[in-house]
Amino acid sequence: MKVSSFFSLISLSLVVFAAGCSKNNVAETSGEVDFELQSRSDDHKWYYFSASGFNETALPQDAALISIQPWTESLRVCDANTSSDGKGYVLVNHLGALVFDESDVPNFIKDYQLFSDSTSSDLVFSNGDAFFTLSRNSFFNKSHEPVGALSRPYLVRISSESHMFYPVVNYGDLDISPDSEISGMFYDGDSFLASVKTETKDRIVFNYIQWNPVGKLSELPPQTKQGKVLVTESSEGAYRKANTPIEYTFAPDRLQSLLKSLPKNFSFAVVAKHAGGASPAYYLNGSPSDATSSNAVIADGWACAVFADGTTYFNGALDGRHILNNGKNIAFRLPKLPENYFYGDFCIAGDFLVVSWEEKDFFRTGRSGFLTVDMKKLFYPESRE
């Protein structure tokens, strides 16, 4: 083990990618936006988060006031993706998970005890099941004692059928010391890479592990048990390679085709996910210092990207519907947000696009929620009921 500044740097860059930059000029730069949704119309609904769940609001700025907190401690969408069977999963920090299934009203799965004092992140899929991680940040979570209990859940499964959470891997299963915390993860669909952070009075030490489940993830027992997972030592280099942003020219062809109208000199970063897939890849075009953030999801029948200002690109067809625009890209803009509000992670379920929004002050978040857009009303008017 050694003291390392790498993790601090990569963590900051990933937070910036995930949360959104201050730039808000994607549409003006590309010049390829077909239309913009109005702030108030019948094709979308606004929701905001509260301690009890989520509530509808006329506009984001009309949501109930909430204190601005570090992103690890705030109620906010911390990840989202579409599953391989077409459901939409939205992970909400300190609250629970929203599961959308062909409706703009989600199933709300919550567990106060599980979520209340841990930061949730890293939504991934394995064999069709959805999982996420729980961790604590010693810098922001000043009220919390050290990890201590190694029975504390680390990897948790979301069951959309039973509307419950099932811990599958605990901190004690990973053979780390009681005063260590897993501060980052990357899952390639087979193995998990993890950064393990240990704080002492005078320094912070990182080491890196790789672990694999013994058997199917969803079938692991919830109790801490020797032999549930195989843990081997990894390296900073392996972790760096998995998490460092990649030059955009190496992005998948479908993503590059989706964003082909963007000028070559436009700087942007994109968190690229596959529907029902493992950890995302991070691609960077141009300078990281002024890159505008975006999120993209690639599914079998469609590809979609949403930028922080709401500029959205779509190609393909919604499940069970015909291909749009003769297979050409469609570009539109979500309703304009107030100053210091940004769009973030999203999913598509049935006819609905679900996009997170939040009020940001660098690493702190205020009001937050999500927007549901009825894409059937926008693109399939002949199907209106």
Side-chain angles (χ1 to χ4, degrees), residues 147-208:
V147 176
L150 293 179
S151 60
R152 186 164 64 89
Y154 169 62
L155 189 73
V156 180
R157 179 170 69 92
I158 305 172
S159 173
S160 60
E161 293 76 23
S162 62
H163 306 289
M164 294 182 66
F165 299 108
Y166 294 96
V168 293
V169 175
N170 302 317
Y171 275 80
D173 294 319
L174 299 176
D175 194 27
I176 60 176
S177 65
D179 58 349
S180 297
E181 185 80 8
I182 298 177
S183 53
M185 181 274 274
F186 185 89
Y187 176 53
D188 64 7
D190 180 33
S191 301
F192 290 81
L193 277 176
S195 170
V196 182
K197 175 183 177 182
T198 306
E199 290 192 44
T200 63
K201 291 182 178 180
D202 56 353
R203 64 176 185 166
I204 299 175
V205 177
F206 290 93
N207 71 308
Y208 305 88

Side-chain angles (χ1 to χ4, degrees), residues 27 34 37 81 112 144 166 168 188 202 339 356:
D34 300 317
L37 278 69
N81 198 357
Y112 179 78
H144 295 304
Y166 294 96
V168 293
D188 64 7
D202 56 353
E339 186 178 2
S356 65

Side-chain angles (χ1 to χ4, degrees), residues 18-249:
C21 303
S22 59
K23 291 173 68 65
N24 208 23
N25 60 354
V26 179
E28 290 81 355
T29 303
S30 69
E32 292 284 346
V33 175
D34 300 317
F35 64 95
E36 180 173 347
L37 278 69
Q38 299 303 306
S39 295
R40 300 173 188 264
S41 63
D42 65 354
D43 50 31
H44 65 268
K45 296 179 182 177
W46 297 100
Y47 296 89
Y48 70 93
F49 296 123
S50 66
S52 60
F54 61 93
N55 304 279
E56 190 170 350
T57 181
L59 293 169
Q61 58 267 39
D62 295 337
L65 287 173
I66 191 170
S67 60
I68 293 182
Q69 299 185 72
W71 66 274
T72 60
E73 310 312 304
S74 59
L75 294 175
R76 60 182 292 272
V77 172
C78 48
D79 214 338
N81 198 357
T82 300
S83 64
S84 56
D85 61 356
K87 292 185 177 68
Y89 286 77
V90 176
L91 186 64
V92 186
N93 192 41
H94 291 302
L95 195 59
L98 309 177
V99 181
F100 293 83
D101 188 4
E102 300 184 357
S103 170
D104 62 340
V105 180
N107 293 317
F108 178 27
I109 309 173
K110 58 181 178 179
D111 185 326
Y112 179 78
Q113 184 175 359
L114 195 65
F115 277 78
S116 61
D117 61 357
S118 295
T119 299
S120 50
S121 58
D122 301 316
L123 177 66
V124 297
F125 295 84
S126 177
N127 295 313
D129 294 309
F131 299 85
F132 65 93
T133 64
L134 293 172
S135 62
R136 292 176 184 166
N137 186 295
S138 60
F139 182 79
F140 294 130
N141 296 8
K142 294 296 186 183
S143 62
H144 295 304
E145 297 297 325
V147 176
L150 293 179
S151 60
R152 186 164 64 89
Y154 169 62
L155 189 73
V156 180
R157 179 170 69 92
I158 305 172
S159 173
S160 60
E161 293 76 23
S162 62
H163 306 289
M164 294 182 66
F165 299 108
Y166 294 96
V168 293
V169 175
N170 302 317
Y171 275 80
D173 294 319
L174 299 176
D175 194 27
I176 60 176
S177 65
D179 58 349
S180 297
E181 185 80 8
I182 298 177
S183 53
M185 181 274 274
F186 185 89
Y187 176 53
D188 64 7
D190 180 33
S191 301
F192 290 81
L193 277 176
S195 170
V196 182
K197 175 183 177 182
T198 306
E199 290 192 44
T200 63
K201 291 182 178 180
D202 56 353
R203 64 176 185 166
I204 299 175
V205 177
F206 290 93
N207 71 308
Y208 305 88
I209 60 172
Q210 175 182 307
W211 63 271
N212 297 72
V214 177
K216 191 176 179 181
L217 265 178
S218 61
E219 296 176 354
L220 296 181
Q223 300 83 8
T224 301
K225 181 180 179 182
Q226 187 174 8
K228 275 174 57 177
V229 299
L230 297 177
V231 182
T232 58
E233 185 177 353
S234 187
S235 66
E236 179 182 312
Y239 189 80
R240 179 196 296 267
K241 183 178 180 180
N243 287 282
T244 298
I246 304 166
E247 185 180 332
Y248 180 68
T249 54

Side-chain angles (χ1 to χ4, degrees), residues 35-47 56 58 104 318 332-336 343 351-355 370-381 384:
F35 64 95
E36 180 173 347
L37 278 69
Q38 299 303 306
S39 295
R40 300 173 188 264
S41 63
D42 65 354
D43 50 31
H44 65 268
K45 296 179 182 177
W46 297 100
Y47 296 89
E56 190 170 350
D104 62 340
L318 298 178
F332 61 98
R333 191 182 303 147
L334 301 176
K336 187 175 181 180
Y343 289 107
D351 293 327
F352 295 95
L353 169 67
V354 182
V355 188
F370 59 95
L371 170 75
T372 62
V373 179
D374 189 339
M375 297 177 73
K376 179 181 68 175
K377 287 187 177 181
L378 295 178
F379 302 128
Y380 298 93
R384 292 182 182 178

